[in-house]
Amino acid sequence: MKTQIITSPKKMQKCINKIKKQHPNKSIGFIPTMGALHKGHLSLFQKSLKQNDINIVSIYVNQTQFNDKKDFNNYPNTL
């Protein structure tokens, strides 16, 4: 499978449904992150790769978690 960047929940659900239809017997791992990827995330990726056939990583930074908009604007974007 190829790497895809999906930017909306609707598109993500459509993609997951397609994967399930095309690969009904394969396991799907999901690794949720809050951005600013680091070595701890890498260990989660490696574990999921060992345990699952297909892996999905969510890199989501929730703007509402920042009290100051400047903090959100300065948060590392490591996509």
Side-chain angles (χ1 to χ4, degrees), residues 22-38:
Q22 291 176 342
H23 307 283
N25 298 319
K26 295 205 177 211
S27 62
I28 300 173
F30 180 69
I31 306 104
T33 76
M34 296 227 354
L37 301 178
H38 50 73

Side-chain angles (χ1 to χ4, degrees), residues 1 4 8 11 21 26 30 33 37-38 42 47 49 60-61 67 73:
M1 289 203 146
Q4 295 180 4
S8 78
K11 289 179 183 178
K21 186 176 180 180
K26 295 205 177 211
F30 180 69
T33 76
L37 301 178
H38 50 73
L42 181 59
K47 187 172 184 176
L49 287 169
Y60 176 72
V61 179
N67 293 328
N73 291 336

Side-chain angles (χ1 to χ4, degrees), residues 4-77:
Q4 295 180 4
I5 297 175
I6 299 170
T7 57
S8 78
K10 187 176 182 178
K11 289 179 183 178
M12 185 71 235
Q13 188 60 59
K14 190 175 182 179
C15 180
I16 291 170
N17 290 339
K18 184 178 178 181
I19 290 169
K20 286 180 177 181
K21 186 176 180 180
Q22 291 176 342
H23 307 283
N25 298 319
K26 295 205 177 211
S27 62
I28 300 173
F30 180 69
I31 306 104
T33 76
M34 296 227 354
L37 301 178
H38 50 73
K39 288 181 183 179
H41 292 120
L42 181 59
S43 70
L44 295 173
F45 304 153
Q46 290 169 332
K47 187 172 184 176
S48 188
L49 287 169
K50 289 178 184 177
Q51 295 177 347
N52 299 285
D53 301 308
I54 298 167
N55 294 277
I56 297 171
V57 178
S58 167
I59 304 172
Y60 176 72
V61 179
N62 185 350
Q63 187 171 359
T64 64
Q65 292 179 290
F66 294 84
N67 293 328
D68 186 341
K69 187 174 181 175
K70 289 179 187 176
D71 290 339
F72 174 74
N73 291 336
N74 292 325
Y75 195 76
N77 182 347

